[in-house]
Amino acid sequence: MAIILGIESSCDETSASVCIDGAIVSNIIANQTIHHQYGGVVPELASRVHQQNIIPAVHQAIVAAKINKNQIDAVAFTRGPGLLGSLLVGTSFAKAFALANEIPLIEVNHMQAHILAHFIPNQREDEKLPKFPFICLTVSGGHTQIVLVKDYFEMEILGETTDDAAGEAFDKTAKILELPYPGGPLIDQYAQTGNPHAYQFPEPQIPGLNFSFSGLKTSILYFVRDHVKENPNFVQENLADICASVQHRIVSILLNKLKKAAQEYQITDIAIAGGVSANSGLRTALTALAHQKGWNVFIPKFEYCTDNAAMIAIAGYYKFLKGDFVGQDIAPLARMPIV
C-alpha cells in the first residue's frame, strides 16, 4: 500500500492531499482572500500566507485521511511552474517533511498534474478514464495549451498561446468591466443570463494550433471605452450580454482549435483541464461539440479543476510506482515546460 502526501503552492492556494493506492482520501484547500483588495495576486503576500497555511493544511489532510504521518511513504510537491516565492514555501516544507521522516521526495510539474487529475477515481460504476493517446486542452490564468498525452508523463504540446492565456483574457475583461477580483467566475455567472450573440468580438486568425488572446483583450477594451463614451451606464445596463458575448468568443476560440487538433491527429478521446475548465460555458459547449463529433469527452470534477493538491498526489503516486524520486538539492522553477 502506497500512501502519498501531495502539496500544492504554485499561486495563491495552499493545498495538501493524501493519496492511498491511487485513491484520494483527503484534499484540503486554503484560499487566500488578502488579494481581493488589490485586484490580483500579490506574489510577496501570497508567499507569506502560504507560510501561515501550509502546516494547518497538511495537518488537516493527514487527520481527514485517518492516517499517521509516519505511515506516509513519499511526499510529492509542485516544483513549477508558478510564483517563485509561493513555490519556495511548498518545496521547502516538502523537503523538510521528507528529510524528517526519511521518505522519498517527488517533484511534480503543475501542468502535467492538471492533466493527470483525470485519473483521480470518482468511485462511480460508470466511471471511464481517457485512453492513451488522448488530447487535452489545458486552460488556466497562465497557460493555454493543446497537449497530446501519450502516457502519464509522455506529453507533446501541439499548440499554445503566443501571448496571453485564456484565463488572463477572462480576468482582464472582468477588470475592464470593473468587476471585483477574481473576475473570471463572475463573468461565467453573469453570462448565464445574457445573450451570447448580443455583441460580436473578433476571432484571431493564428496559424496552426496556436492561440492568441492579446488582440481580443484590446478589442474588448476599445469596445467598452467607445460605448461608455456614448452612455456612461452602458456596462451596468448590458453586463450580462457583454459577459455572455465575451465568454462565447473565448470558448469558440478554444474549441475551434481543439476541433482542428482532434481532426488532424484522428483522436476521439478529448479532455480539458486547468482552472478555466471549471467555466460552465466551456463545459457546456464542449459537451455539445463532443456529441456532434462522436468524441469521448472527459471533464474533471469541479474541485479538481482549480489548483489543488489531489492532482499533485495522484501524479506523485504514478511517479512513486516508477521510483522517480529527487534529492534534497532540488529547487523550484518559476518556468517549467510540460515536456
Side-chain angles (χ1 to χ4, degrees):
M1 184 171 66
I3 301 180
I4 311 297
L5 171 65
I7 294 172
E8 155 62 21
S9 68
S10 64
C11 190
D12 62 333
E13 278 96 7
T14 313
S15 184
S17 173
V18 173
C19 172
I20 301 179
D21 277 348
I24 299 300
V25 293
S26 67
N27 187 35
I28 304 299
I29 302 173
N31 295 304
Q32 299 184 5
T33 58
I34 193 170
H35 307 287
H36 293 187
Q37 59 188 301
Y38 300 104
V41 177
V42 181
E44 177 61 28
L45 294 179
S47 178
R48 293 179 188 178
V49 179
H50 278 304
Q51 293 178 57
Q52 297 168 4
N53 289 343
I54 187 84
I55 292 176
V58 170
H59 175 70
Q60 289 177 46
I62 291 173
V63 170
K66 298 179 180 177
I67 62 167
N68 186 288
K69 68 177 183 179
N70 298 323
Q71 295 176 268
I72 295 171
D73 295 299
V75 54
F77 67 98
T78 302
R79 185 185 182 191
L83 300 176
L84 193 56
S86 295
L87 291 167
L88 271 167
V89 177
T91 302
S92 300
F93 182 90
K95 289 165 70 172
F97 190 93
L99 189 64
N101 291 279
E102 299 181 334
I103 56 176
L105 194 60
I106 302 171
E107 65 160 3
V108 173
N109 182 300
H110 181 81
M111 297 310 296
Q112 284 188 345
H114 269 304
I115 294 172
L116 294 179
H118 289 283
F119 295 94
I120 297 174
N122 292 324
Q123 298 180 333
R124 296 196 317 262
E125 289 184 9
D126 62 341
E127 180 178 52
K128 293 181 180 178
L129 300 177
K131 296 177 183 177
F132 301 116
F134 66 92
I135 288 176
C136 186
L137 172 67
T138 58
V139 274
S140 66
H143 297 82
T144 301
Q145 300 172 329
I146 296 178
V147 182
L148 177 61
V149 186
K150 302 174 184 178
D151 202 347
Y152 293 111
F153 299 102
E154 187 183 353
M155 303 178 187
E156 178 186 349
I157 296 176
L158 304 180
E160 60 188 335
T161 180
T162 58
D163 42 55
D164 303 323
E168 189 179 354
F170 274 115
D171 290 337
K172 290 293 173 64
T173 298
K175 218 164 192 175
I176 292 168
L177 299 176
E178 298 184 352
L179 295 175
Y181 175 85
L186 288 175
I187 288 181
D188 187 14
Q189 182 181 322
Y190 287 115
Q192 294 178 34
T193 58
N195 176 8
H197 305 290
Y199 306 105
Q200 297 298 315
F201 295 103
E203 178 166 357
Q205 300 304 306
I206 307 299
L209 298 174
N210 287 332
F211 300 91
S212 171
F213 290 96
S214 62
L216 176 63
K217 288 195 319 184
T218 302
S219 70
I220 294 167
L221 176 65
Y222 290 163
F223 166 83
V224 172
R225 181 197 66 183
D226 294 344
H227 280 81
V228 168
K229 278 183 184 177
E230 298 174 9
N231 174 13
N233 298 318
F234 173 75
V235 171
Q236 292 86 341
E237 292 172 0
N238 301 277
L239 184 58
D241 285 349
I242 297 171
C243 289
S245 299
V246 168
Q247 180 164 288
H248 174 74
R249 174 51 70 211
I250 293 174
V251 168
S252 72
I253 291 170
L254 293 171
L255 293 189
N256 284 343
K257 292 288 187 177
L258 187 59
K259 185 164 47 176
K260 187 175 180 180
Q263 184 175 354
E264 188 173 326
Y265 286 84
Q266 292 295 295
I267 288 177
T268 56
D269 275 21
I270 308 295
I272 56 172
V276 180
S277 65
N279 179 276
S280 66
L282 177 58
R283 286 170 168 251
T284 301
L286 177 60
T287 302
L289 182 60
H291 182 73
Q292 176 190 333
K293 294 289 183 180
W295 293 346
N296 302 312
V297 68
F298 302 90
I299 303 174
K301 289 176 66 177
F302 185 85
E303 65 197 273
Y304 301 138
C305 290
T306 53
D307 293 348
N308 67 91
M311 67 185 194
I312 305 301
I314 196 72
Y317 170 72
Y318 285 109
K319 283 200 166 190
F320 181 85
L321 296 180
K322 292 171 57 182
D324 189 354
F325 308 132
V326 294
Q328 284 287 328
D329 58 342
I330 198 77
L333 297 173
R335 295 180 181 275
M336 188 176 180
I338 199 170
V339 291

